[in-house]
Amino acid sequence: MNKLNVIFLIIVFFLTSCVGSDKKPAKKEVVSAEIPASEMENGAQLYRAKCMNCHMKTGSGIEKFYPPLANSDYLKKHTEDAIKMVKFGSNKPIKVNGIKYNSLMPASGLTDKELVAVFNYILNSWGNNYGQVSLEQVEAVER
């Protein structure tokens, strides 16, 4: 009976040690991909100043007038196009979460560095987990 208990404990030890090792790398990846709190706060301030009047405090937008940014299929799939709209303005209709929007999007007047901050805030707020944009990506967006 003692041998059986020892074998059982060894098996349990190996199984639990393997499970623990799988979790550690995932944790490191999440931490390394986080946006610094100072950049998120800067993005939040820019959002409140430039975007909130139309897209609302919660990123919900105003149905049929201004598209939502929270849980937005368009933003997730077409981030570069969204950057272009914010950077240069747009009057092109878009479809977000199955609803067509045809409102004017004025050029934001933000610098490329400010666009990075506000986009990283939007891409990671209200339940969005859409990654990040870099300054190089924003600079590469042209008319």
Side-chain angles (χ1 to χ4, degrees):
M1 195 79 139
N2 272 342
K3 282 186 180 181
L4 192 57
N5 285 340
V6 171
I7 292 171
F8 176 75
L9 288 175
I10 291 171
I11 291 171
V12 169
F13 172 76
F14 282 116
L15 289 175
T16 57
S17 65
C18 290
V19 171
S21 66
D22 286 343
K23 290 183 180 179
K24 289 179 185 175
K27 217 176 208 179
K28 286 182 183 177
E29 289 173 8
V30 171
V31 170
S32 66
E34 284 185 5
I35 299 166
S38 60
E39 184 177 333
M40 285 295 283
E41 180 53 38
N42 185 30
Q45 289 176 1
L46 290 165
Y47 179 83
R48 288 190 296 269
K50 294 285 190 169
C51 314
M52 191 171 75
N53 285 342
C54 298
H55 296 286
M56 313 307 335
K57 184 177 182 178
T58 61
S60 60
I62 300 173
E63 192 171 336
K64 298 184 182 175
F65 294 102
Y66 303 109
L69 303 175
N71 302 307
S72 166
D73 62 350
Y74 185 89
L75 184 59
K76 185 175 184 177
K77 294 176 187 172
H78 306 283
T79 305
E80 187 176 314
D81 290 336
I83 293 169
K84 186 176 182 178
M85 283 183 209
V86 176
K87 190 172 184 176
F88 301 112
S90 177
N91 61 356
K92 286 180 21 181
I94 62 170
K95 195 176 218 180
V96 181
N97 301 338
I99 299 171
K100 187 176 178 182
Y101 293 88
N102 197 20
S103 299
L104 173 68
M105 172 68 198
S108 67
L110 297 172
T111 67
D112 287 348
K113 192 173 180 181
E114 290 171 327
L115 285 169
V116 170
V118 77
F119 264 89
N120 285 338
Y121 171 76
I122 291 166
L123 293 172
N124 293 280
S125 294
W126 318 296
N128 291 347
N129 189 14
Y130 300 161
Q132 299 181 49
V133 297
S134 67
L135 182 57
E136 293 78 20
Q137 285 174 285
V138 173
E139 289 172 341
V141 173
E142 296 179 353
R143 285 187 189 258

